[in-house]
Amino acid sequence: MKITWLGNASILLEAAGEQILFDPFAELIGGENPVTLEEFEPYSTIFATHGHFDHLYFVPDLMDGQDRTLFCTETPAETVEQFADAGDRIVRVRPGDRFRLGEVAVHVYQGRHIRQNPGYLLRILLSGRIPRYFRNLWFIQYAHRRFP
């Protein structure tokens, strides 16, 4: 098994002849590992672990009219269906589901996203990142409206 970090929370898992892309993301200005939409295109199996815009932004473009399968929970599925003609290529999964992709066994677990707290938010605001990457705020505002 080979796991490759692609930036943010995105990884590529390669095992038993399968290539599975987890959480393709929209890279913001100043990000650690800029990846373009074209770099995600070779992968036909995609998992979206949650519905934040930074993980779903490219997914409609990847799915629209292409031979790809998206595995995700109900909310990300509904969001992607608004923007892409994906038909039955979106597979809704729930915690506890088990299935196989070729020789790769998949077990869906319940996840929990980080909980923001006032101290953490204050450190971010005072870190200097906001003024440095101010141009990202316009994109974040647009993307958040598209992917609430």
Side-chain angles (χ1 to χ4, degrees):
M1 179 186 313
K2 179 180 177 186
I3 300 172
T4 305
W5 176 68
L6 300 175
N8 196 327
S10 185
I11 62 168
L12 175 64
L13 179 118
E14 298 173 275
E18 299 291 330
Q19 293 183 312
I20 304 169
L21 177 63
F22 287 84
D23 291 326
F25 66 97
E27 183 66 49
L28 300 176
I29 297 167
E32 299 100 9
N33 192 20
V35 178
T36 64
L37 172 64
E38 292 76 25
E39 291 175 84
F40 294 127
E41 287 181 347
Y43 310 113
S44 60
T45 304
I46 302 169
F47 278 74
T49 62
H50 61 289
H52 287 171
F53 77 85
D54 56 336
H55 299 296
L56 287 183
Y57 189 78
F58 283 148
V59 173
D61 293 328
L62 289 169
M63 296 299 294
D64 203 17
Q66 301 298 317
D67 188 23
R68 292 189 176 89
T69 304
L70 172 66
F71 294 85
C72 59
T73 56
E74 188 67 31
T75 301
E78 289 174 356
T79 300
V80 172
E81 287 172 341
Q82 292 177 33
F83 300 104
D85 180 21
D88 61 353
R89 294 174 293 117
I90 297 177
V91 178
R92 287 165 167 80
V93 298
R94 294 183 314 217
D97 286 354
R98 292 175 185 256
F99 54 94
R100 297 188 80 75
L101 296 173
E103 295 297 315
V104 176
V106 177
H107 184 170
V108 180
Y109 289 94
Q110 175 69 45
R112 228 178 8 153
H113 202 275
I114 184 173
R115 292 180 187 242
Q116 305 292 348
N117 64 54
Y120 174 76
L121 293 174
L122 186 59
R123 283 194 306 277
I124 295 295
L125 291 172
L126 297 176
S127 71
R129 292 182 65 145
I130 301 296
R132 191 171 348 146
Y133 304 117
F134 184 75
R135 291 176 291 170
N136 286 331
L137 294 177
W138 302 116
F139 171 74
I140 291 169
Q141 181 181 14
Y142 162 77
H144 185 67
R145 277 197 307 266
R146 187 173 182 201
F147 300 99

